[in-house]
């Protein structure tokens, strides 16, 4: 018996083919057979392993879509709740909160939606993403221009509290860190930019 295990290019116009023979091929075939048996057991002995795996992949995609839709719905409910907790500092609408979201993209979407719906917004959101701290700062364009506020600078200062770093633009910046316990302190540091 002879079995090719790999082929590659070693120089222009030259290919290398590697193979095994005899007992090594038998050992490989036994390993493959054991893998197929294990797969059949794991998949509850289907008639066709490829069809069963394909079905699992499709099911996983559908579940992921449902989970994403649920998370978006949760974020929309959270948006209403956050809007009810706006604090006025002069003419600035200040919103600082630790949100129960576990997806950085959802947090970003939420921040941009709030910016579009609330005038004179100064927003700082914290979140615990699987044990990692996440910070988001969003500032209305007019506050950036008139008050010379800079989300990138604010996030760099606040990120020290979560043992991390970040950056971004003057109106929007994010940071990550390894200390979720420092999120409240980070929100307070960010808020001091308005003092």
């Amino acid at each position: 018996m002879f079995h090719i295990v790999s082929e590659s290019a070693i120089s222009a116009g030259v290919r290398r083919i590697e193979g095994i023979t005899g007992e090594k091929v038998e050992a490989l075939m036994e390993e493959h057979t054991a893998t197929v048996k294990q797969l059949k057991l794991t998949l509850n002995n289907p008639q066709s392993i490829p069809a069963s795996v394909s079905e699992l992949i499709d099911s996983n995609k559908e579940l992921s879509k449902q989970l994403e839709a649920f998370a978006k719905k949760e974020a929309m409910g959270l948006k209403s709740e956050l809007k009810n907790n706006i604090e006025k500092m002069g003419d600035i609408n200040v919103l600082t909160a630790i949100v129960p979201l576990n997806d950085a993209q959802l947090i970003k979407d939420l921040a941009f939606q709030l910016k579009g719906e609330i005038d004179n917004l100064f927003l700082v959101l914290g979140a615990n993403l699987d044990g990692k701290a996440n910070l988001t700062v969003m500032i209305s364009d007019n506050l950036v221009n008139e008050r010379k506020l800079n989300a990138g600078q604010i996030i760099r200062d606040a990120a020290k509290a979560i043992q991390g770093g970040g950056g971004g633009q003057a109106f929007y910046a994010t940071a990550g860190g390894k200390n979720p316990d420092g999120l409240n302190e980070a929100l307070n540091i960010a808020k001091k930019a308005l003092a």
Side-chain angles (χ1 to χ4, degrees):
M1 288 190 289
F2 176 78
H3 181 75
I4 295 172
V5 293
S6 71
E7 65 93 21
S8 58
I10 55 172
S11 63
V14 180
R15 308 289 296 177
R16 179 198 313 252
I17 295 176
E18 295 180 5
I20 54 175
T21 61
E23 291 178 0
K24 295 236 182 202
V25 178
E26 286 181 31
L28 183 67
M29 294 304 149
E30 285 173 12
E31 186 184 320
H32 285 184
T33 301
T35 300
V36 170
K37 281 183 182 174
Q38 184 59 50
L39 266 174
K40 286 191 98 166
L41 277 173
T42 303
L43 298 169
N44 294 323
N45 292 312
Q47 286 189 334
S48 167
I49 291 175
S52 184
V53 169
S54 181
E55 192 178 300
L56 268 177
I57 290 169
D58 290 344
S59 175
N60 188 46
K61 282 180 185 172
E62 186 57 38
L63 285 171
S64 292
K65 281 182 189 172
Q66 289 175 12
L67 194 60
E68 189 178 326
F70 177 76
K72 282 184 179 175
K73 190 175 177 182
E74 184 184 12
M76 290 309 99
L78 179 62
K79 181 171 76 170
S80 299
E81 190 181 317
L82 289 170
K83 286 169 95 171
N84 291 331
N85 290 316
I86 290 173
E87 178 188 348
K88 293 289 267 183
M89 286 181 73
D91 62 341
I92 300 175
N93 292 308
V94 180
L95 189 43
T96 61
I98 295 175
V99 293
L101 296 175
N102 197 23
D103 182 324
Q105 184 59 49
L106 274 179
I107 296 168
K108 179 180 179 180
D109 292 346
L110 178 63
F112 272 90
Q113 286 175 26
L114 287 166
K115 181 185 179 219
E117 295 174 19
I118 302 167
D119 292 331
N120 296 332
L121 178 66
F122 181 86
L123 171 74
V124 187
L125 298 178
N128 185 334
L129 305 185
D130 295 322
K132 301 276 174 117
N134 176 276
L135 275 178
T136 299
V137 175
M138 176 70 80
I139 305 172
S140 290
D141 295 336
N142 61 302
L143 295 178
V144 170
N145 296 327
E146 294 163 16
R147 303 287 180 98
K148 303 301 178 209
L149 294 171
N150 187 305
Q153 184 56 54
I154 292 167
I155 205 105
R156 279 190 288 277
D157 294 338
K160 292 171 187 169
I162 57 169
Q163 296 172 17
Q169 298 160 290
F171 72 95
Y172 173 74
T174 60
K178 56 185 180 182
N179 179 27
D181 293 335
L183 282 169
N184 279 315
E185 186 187 346
L187 296 184
N188 290 331
I189 291 170
K191 203 169 164 184
K192 283 177 185 172
L194 296 174

